[in-house]
């Protein structure tokens, strides 16, 4: 909607079909074994169709806005498709919650840490309220949360847990969460 693509029915319908089909087919056809092959095939087809609409539109559909729509959709659909496939991994019932939980913990911790101690702006052009101190707090609290989560899983479900691995995963997921948040802020700023 930011890009006004909702008015281009061909692109909108193709995007909606792609956004529904990819997670469903990746989940039910691959069962976690051949996810990338299915994802790449469907994504390639989606890109070709959208760009073909632009090519044959006689200038009515712009290439740049089509490319941005395609990239934005792939960005979101890939993440959700990966979550579905992650659920089928060994211990997936514990793993697939981690991207959500770590994002919520990281965002909340960064907010409160930034409010309490924030002095140095992180990237003011993109998100003026985010601070370096908030980012550090978000990463640290997420790493601690992962240890607590790991201990709960270990004792409640009798599952072996790698605590060091969870700390590293917490740091990584927190950083990815913050970058994703900054990307969303950049998009909002760009489109006003």
């Amino acid at each position: 909607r930011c890009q006004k693509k909702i008015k281009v029915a061909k692109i909108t319908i193709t995007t909606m079909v792609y956004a529904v089909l990819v997670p469903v087919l990746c989940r039910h056809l691959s069962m976690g074994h051949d996810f990338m092959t299915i994802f790449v095939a469907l994504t390639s087809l989606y890109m070709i169709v959208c760009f073909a609409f632009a090519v044959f539109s006689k200038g009515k559909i712009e290439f740049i806005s089509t490319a941005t729509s395609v990239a934005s959709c792939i960005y979101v659909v890939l993440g959700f498709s990966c979550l579905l496939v992650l659920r089928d991994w060994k211990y997936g019932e514990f793993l697939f919650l981690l991207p959500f939980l770590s994002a919520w913990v990281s965002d909340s911790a960064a907010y409160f840490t930034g409010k309490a101690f924030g002095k140095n702006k992180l990237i003011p052009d993109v998100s003026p309220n985010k601070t370096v101190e908030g980012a550090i707090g978000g990463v640290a609290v997420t790493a601690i949360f992962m240890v607590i989560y790991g201990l709960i899983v270990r004792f409640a479900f009798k599952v072996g847990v790698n605590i060091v691995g969870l700390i590293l995963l917490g740091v990584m997921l927190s950083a990815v969460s913050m970058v994703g948040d900054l990307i969303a802020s950049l998009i909002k700023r760009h489109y006003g």
Side-chain angles (χ1 to χ4, degrees):
R1 289 174 61 194
C2 287
Q3 300 163 50
K4 309 295 188 263
K5 281 290 158 200
I6 206 77
K7 295 176 183 173
V8 181
K10 293 175 187 174
I11 302 281
T12 302
I13 291 168
T14 304
T15 298
M16 289 179 179
V17 168
Y18 169 80
V20 170
L21 275 183
V22 169
V24 170
L25 292 179
C26 285
R27 169 69 171 80
H28 292 290
L29 294 182
S30 75
M31 293 307 285
H33 298 295
D34 205 18
F35 163 70
M36 283 311 294
T37 302
I38 293 167
F39 178 78
V40 169
L42 291 172
T43 299
S44 298
L45 179 63
Y46 166 63
M47 290 170 55
I48 289 167
V49 169
C50 286
F51 288 128
F53 288 143
V55 166
F56 295 110
S57 74
K58 298 181 181 171
K60 292 178 184 162
I61 302 173
E62 297 173 357
F63 171 77
I64 287 295
S65 61
T66 301
T68 306
S69 293
V70 167
S72 300
C73 183
I74 292 169
Y75 175 70
V76 173
V77 169
L78 175 61
F80 282 107
S81 298
C82 287
L83 282 172
L84 290 175
V85 172
L86 181 63
R87 178 64 179 84
D88 289 331
W89 284 10
K90 185 176 182 180
Y91 305 119
E93 64 272 23
F94 304 112
L95 294 173
F96 91 104
L97 291 173
L98 292 181
F100 295 108
L101 295 173
S102 63
W104 295 329
V105 168
S106 177
D107 195 41
S108 300
Y111 174 79
F112 289 114
T113 307
K115 283 288 183 195
F117 305 107
K119 290 184 176 35
N120 303 300
K121 298 294 182 185
L122 186 63
I123 305 175
D125 307 2
V126 175
S127 189
N129 296 325
K130 292 193 183 349
T131 63
V132 172
E133 295 82 3
I136 293 168
V139 169
V141 172
T142 304
I144 293 166
F145 166 78
M146 293 298 253
V147 171
I148 295 167
Y149 182 81
L151 293 173
I152 290 170
V153 169
R154 175 184 284 170
F155 294 114
F157 299 99
K158 307 293 187 241
V159 173
V161 174
N162 180 337
I163 297 296
V164 174
L166 280 175
I167 292 170
L168 294 174
L169 185 63
V171 168
M172 183 190 72
L173 287 174
S174 179
V176 168
S177 172
M178 285 184 217
V179 170
D181 196 28
L182 289 166
I183 289 169
S185 294
L186 183 65
I187 291 168
K188 287 190 285 186
R189 297 248 177 284
H190 179 75
Y191 288 103

